[in-house]
Amino acid sequence: METNTRRRLPGVTLGAMLLAAALALWLLWQPALISTLPMGVRLPLIGLGVWALGAAFMAAMGLEARRPWLRRMTTPPWSLAALGAFTLVLLVRAVIA
């Protein structure tokens, strides 16, 4: 079953994938954005990043989770909220550091 959201918002899927790719490259270039944080903050941030970037790449490749709760978490609006939150955290870290 293909997600109806993907059919309605193809530009959003492309934009999310491009943003996720840019964030992944930025983190490869500047790993200190996350690696200098204390472990108690770093682990949830890594989890948020895996969720946000993974969901963006899944949607762009046309993959879909089988379980309903997982499908809900990897499709908009939840995946876009996670991507936005992760982006904001990285931007704040870049400005502060």
Side-chain angles (χ1 to χ4, degrees), residues 1-11 13:
M1 178 175 109
E2 189 172 336
T3 305
N4 291 332
T5 307
R6 199 176 315 129
R7 287 183 183 168
R8 286 183 284 156
L9 304 170
T13 302

Side-chain angles (χ1 to χ4, degrees), residues 15-36:
M17 186 196 62
L18 291 175
L19 178 60
L23 288 175
L25 289 173
W26 188 22
L27 283 172
L28 285 172
W29 198 326
Q30 297 286 332
L33 290 174
I34 293 179
S35 65
T36 58

Side-chain angles (χ1 to χ4, degrees), residues 1-3 6 12-14 16-18 20-21 49-76 79-80 83:
M1 178 175 109
E2 189 172 336
T3 305
R6 199 176 315 129
V12 172
T13 302
L14 178 63
M17 186 196 62
L18 291 175
V50 167
W51 172 23
L53 300 180
F57 288 126
M58 271 182 63
M61 292 187 330
L63 299 175
E64 194 172 272
R66 291 185 183 175
R67 295 193 172 126
W69 67 271
L70 191 55
R71 186 179 312 122
R72 191 175 329 122
M73 298 306 283
T74 56
T75 56
S79 65
L80 294 177
L83 187 60

